[in-house]
Amino acid sequence: MRDGDHVAFDHWEDLFNLSLWSAATHLANPRLVLRGTGRVQLKLWRQGDEGDPSPVLDAEHDLPLILPLPEGTESGIFWPEITARGSVSLDSVGWSADPPTRDIRIALVITTYRREAEVRTAVAKLLPSLQRDLPPGAAHFVVVDNGRSLTLPAAPELTRLDNPNLGGSGGFARGLAFAQDAGFTHALFMDDDAATTPEALIRTHAFLSRACDDRAAVLGAMLTDTEPPRVFEYGAEFDGLCRPLCHGLDPTSRTDALQMERDIHAPLPENHYGGWWFFAFPLAPLRHWPFPFFVRGDDSGFSLSNPFTLWRIAGVASVQEGFDLKSSPLTRYLDFRYHLIHGLVFDSLRLSRFKGLSVALRLIVRNILTLHYDSAEAELLAWAEVLSGPETFATDPTAQKGRAAVAELLSTERWSPTPMQPVSTLSLSDPHWRRKWIKLTLNGHLVPFWATWMPDRVIDRSTRGDMRSYFFARQVVVQDETRGTAMVLRHDKRRAFRIGRRAAALSLRWLLSHSKLRKSFKTGYDEMTTRAFWDAQFIREDL
């Protein structure tokens, strides 16, 4: 840094939330650590529970510097602001404290299926940090290879496990079994496409090794791989539907970053959960293993069924595509199953047969409104599967039959190489009359000759999840410029009405069988979320 150069460490990953650490951990003597050479003007900012941020320190210092917080400071969110006074070499900025009060051992579990390059990248990035920055034996990498196709370099801190393709549910269950047998105190589940940082692992270890509560678990945020990044989810609530927290906030904005941190000095309440792109938890209080959903819903069900105390830490996150961009008839099928099953199993959700029916119809109607008829039909398949009872999940934990059925029904939601077109200019204002019209007409499905006088539209894949992109359109072309592909979604009244008739029949079955279905799934959930169930799956020769 040259004389007068200025930098503020006020992005989300830079914030130190003393309120959180004081409430949740045995943190002793926190201090700011600046490494480098030269003289700087240091301004240390604090954001309290209310009001605007204010500096608690503004003075010149020589580097390197170890600076305790002002005496009596027990709460607030802190970040430093540094101005060079002459030539300065600033090597690192961070926070430190007295050593933790207990030793923990974390098994870092990644489940993968034929994504060799992504896993090798993750191991190459994270493994050196485990070896260098954490105490010996404090963490161990476990890669569960559902594709049985991965080779990795040998390392004492790395274990690869072959596994049948049991999806994320069975892969993480296999890693959990390894962690139990090897005497680990904690496990950390991470997706193979979730890019996290060594610093996130260090902070998680620091938090859990100082945690006051033996049930403390750490969930990571999901950040989108866009520029600037956006928060897709920083924890979430499940009330019949998934309600992501802090969705859309910009972690590089001080205002948004403070909003993310301001309210997290208390654990998340009932019915909140953490996604398995980054979820660290203790093994001792474990009551239920993953349910064999294959993928989707296993992570939320895991949080809902176990007595973890969920915490969030600034800078602990993974970066990946948001779920809106991954949406397909298959993911809709998988999502639909767990939305209904959670409502049947967990009394804390208080979902009656009619509320459960409302959830099912809402998901299907959304796909009709947005012309995603393949997805709506995939959800009908999922509904019929749930109505058949929990035995399907016990006999087919790979979801092979359902995945094959979804593949057969695909007709419109296919990505194909297509010349790119100019994206339509959209007005995404949402006046009351417009919302009312869409609801009354089901986006024109109840209006004769709608397809003859509504315009065509071209949208980018990034706006695919916004329902307003489909309103008042005869045809919508969704295109992905980075891949040079597109899908064409056309208004189709006949198909929509066929879906409606099938949904009506399934609704009647749901209402009539709800009590029996609820009882059977409660019993089945208890039986299939055990180690004994999963040990039997790991050795099945037909998978």
Side-chain angles (χ1 to χ4, degrees), residues 75-96:
S75 65
I77 302 168
F78 294 84
W79 67 93
E81 189 176 299
I82 295 171
T83 304
R85 297 295 183 233
S87 179
V88 171
S89 175
L90 184 61
D91 299 329
S92 66
V93 177
W95 293 86
S96 181

Side-chain angles (χ1 to χ4, degrees), residues 182-325:
F184 287 91
T185 60
H186 292 73
L188 167 56
F189 289 172
M190 295 184 292
D191 284 344
D192 58 2
D193 64 345
T196 192
T197 63
E199 182 64 23
L201 305 182
I202 295 169
R203 294 183 190 189
T204 298
H205 179 272
F207 184 92
L208 293 175
S209 61
R210 293 173 171 85
C212 301
D213 188 346
D214 290 339
R215 300 171 302 162
V218 173
L219 60 91
M222 180 199 289
L223 307 182
T224 62
D225 56 355
T226 57
E227 187 59 44
R230 296 289 177 180
V231 179
F232 188 86
E233 181 175 306
Y234 193 21
E237 177 188 8
F238 189 87
D239 62 359
L241 296 170
C242 296
R243 313 285 187 185
L245 304 179
C246 301
H247 182 75
L249 295 182
D250 177 1
T252 65
S253 158
R254 179 196 295 177
T255 300
D256 286 3
L258 288 174
Q259 183 177 337
M260 292 172 67
E261 288 299 300
R262 199 169 270 150
D263 299 322
I264 68 169
H265 52 270
L268 287 169
E270 189 178 44
N271 296 339
H272 286 68
Y273 66 90
W276 282 354
W277 46 84
F278 194 107
F279 187 73
F281 60 94
L283 302 188
L286 191 70
R287 294 179 184 172
H288 290 273
W289 284 50
F291 186 81
F293 282 116
F294 188 67
V295 294
R296 299 295 181 102
D298 40 12
D299 50 6
S300 53
F302 192 70
S303 290
L304 294 172
S305 62
N306 283 296
F308 303 132
T309 306
L310 305 182
W311 296 94
R312 299 171 288 172
I313 307 173
V316 174
S318 70
V319 180
Q320 57 184 290
E321 280 189 329
F323 285 156
D324 287 345
L325 298 181

Side-chain angles (χ1 to χ4, degrees), residues 425-457:
T425 301
L426 300 177
S427 173
L428 296 183
S429 61
D430 202 13
H432 176 71
W433 70 266
R434 196 168 183 264
R435 296 197 305 271
K436 192 171 183 179
W437 172 261
I438 293 300
K439 291 179 180 179
L440 288 175
T441 68
L442 293 181
N443 195 22
H445 285 90
L446 302 180
V447 178
F449 308 111
W450 180 268
T452 63
W453 50 278
M454 282 292 110
D456 295 348
R457 186 173 295 157

Side-chain angles (χ1 to χ4, degrees), residues 60-72:
E60 290 191 8
H61 294 272
D62 291 322
L63 301 183
L65 174 67
I66 299 177
L67 184 70
L69 286 175
E71 188 175 350

Side-chain angles (χ1 to χ4, degrees), residues 100-427:
T101 55
R102 58 179 174 172
D103 294 327
I104 64 170
R105 298 182 64 224
I106 305 177
L108 282 67
V109 182
I110 288 182
T111 294
T112 188
Y113 180 77
R114 296 180 182 172
R115 294 172 62 93
E116 290 85 354
E118 289 84 354
V119 174
R120 291 193 188 104
T121 298
V123 171
K125 180 172 67 173
L126 300 177
L127 186 58
S129 178
L130 303 189
Q131 299 166 327
R132 180 184 64 245
D133 301 322
L134 295 179
H140 189 91
F141 230 124
V142 182
V143 178
V144 181
D145 183 12
N146 281 352
R148 301 174 180 175
S149 59
L150 179 65
T151 57
L152 291 170
E157 300 86 0
L158 174 63
T159 299
R160 186 187 68 84
L161 303 173
D162 280 339
N163 202 49
N165 185 21
L166 294 163
S169 307
F172 285 120
R174 182 70 181 88
L176 182 55
F178 175 89
Q180 276 194 344
D181 292 344
F184 287 91
T185 60
H186 292 73
L188 167 56
F189 289 172
M190 295 184 292
D191 284 344
D192 58 2
D193 64 345
T196 192
T197 63
E199 182 64 23
L201 305 182
I202 295 169
R203 294 183 190 189
T204 298
H205 179 272
F207 184 92
L208 293 175
S209 61
R210 293 173 171 85
C212 301
D213 188 346
D214 290 339
R215 300 171 302 162
V218 173
L219 60 91
M222 180 199 289
L223 307 182
T224 62
D225 56 355
T226 57
E227 187 59 44
R230 296 289 177 180
V231 179
F232 188 86
E233 181 175 306
Y234 193 21
E237 177 188 8
F238 189 87
D239 62 359
L241 296 170
C242 296
R243 313 285 187 185
L245 304 179
C246 301
H247 182 75
L249 295 182
D250 177 1
T252 65
S253 158
R254 179 196 295 177
T255 300
D256 286 3
L258 288 174
Q259 183 177 337
M260 292 172 67
E261 288 299 300
R262 199 169 270 150
D263 299 322
I264 68 169
H265 52 270
L268 287 169
E270 189 178 44
N271 296 339
H272 286 68
Y273 66 90
W276 282 354
W277 46 84
F278 194 107
F279 187 73
F281 60 94
L283 302 188
L286 191 70
R287 294 179 184 172
H288 290 273
W289 284 50
F291 186 81
F293 282 116
F294 188 67
V295 294
R296 299 295 181 102
D298 40 12
D299 50 6
S300 53
F302 192 70
S303 290
L304 294 172
S305 62
N306 283 296
F308 303 132
T309 306
L310 305 182
W311 296 94
R312 299 171 288 172
I313 307 173
V316 174
S318 70
V319 180
Q320 57 184 290
E321 280 189 329
F323 285 156
D324 287 345
L325 298 181
K326 298 178 181 179
S327 178
S328 69
L330 179 58
T331 62
R332 295 291 188 183
Y333 159 83
L334 296 166
D335 286 343
F336 194 92
R337 299 189 311 167
Y338 84 78
H339 277 78
L340 293 189
I341 291 172
H342 284 0
L344 292 169
V345 170
F346 299 116
D347 294 333
S348 61
L349 299 177
R350 301 175 184 86
L351 287 181
S352 66
R353 69 184 67 204
F354 293 103
K355 287 184 179 179
L357 177 61
S358 174
V359 168
L361 295 179
R362 180 171 179 173
L363 294 172
I364 292 170
V365 169
R366 177 186 173 90
N367 282 316
I368 293 175
L369 294 179
T370 59
L371 315 183
H372 285 73
Y373 306 112
D374 286 356
S375 290
E377 290 188 350
E379 290 174 336
L380 295 176
L381 288 176
W383 201 351
E385 187 174 304
V386 172
L387 286 167
S388 68
E391 295 78 14
T392 299
F393 296 86
T395 57
D396 186 19
T398 66
Q400 183 175 353
K401 294 179 181 178
R403 289 185 288 141
V406 171
E408 288 181 4
L409 65 80
L410 292 181
S411 61
T412 58
E413 294 180 48
R414 296 178 181 272
W415 294 98
S416 304
T418 307
M420 295 294 99
Q421 307 175 51
V423 173
S424 304
T425 301
L426 300 177
S427 173

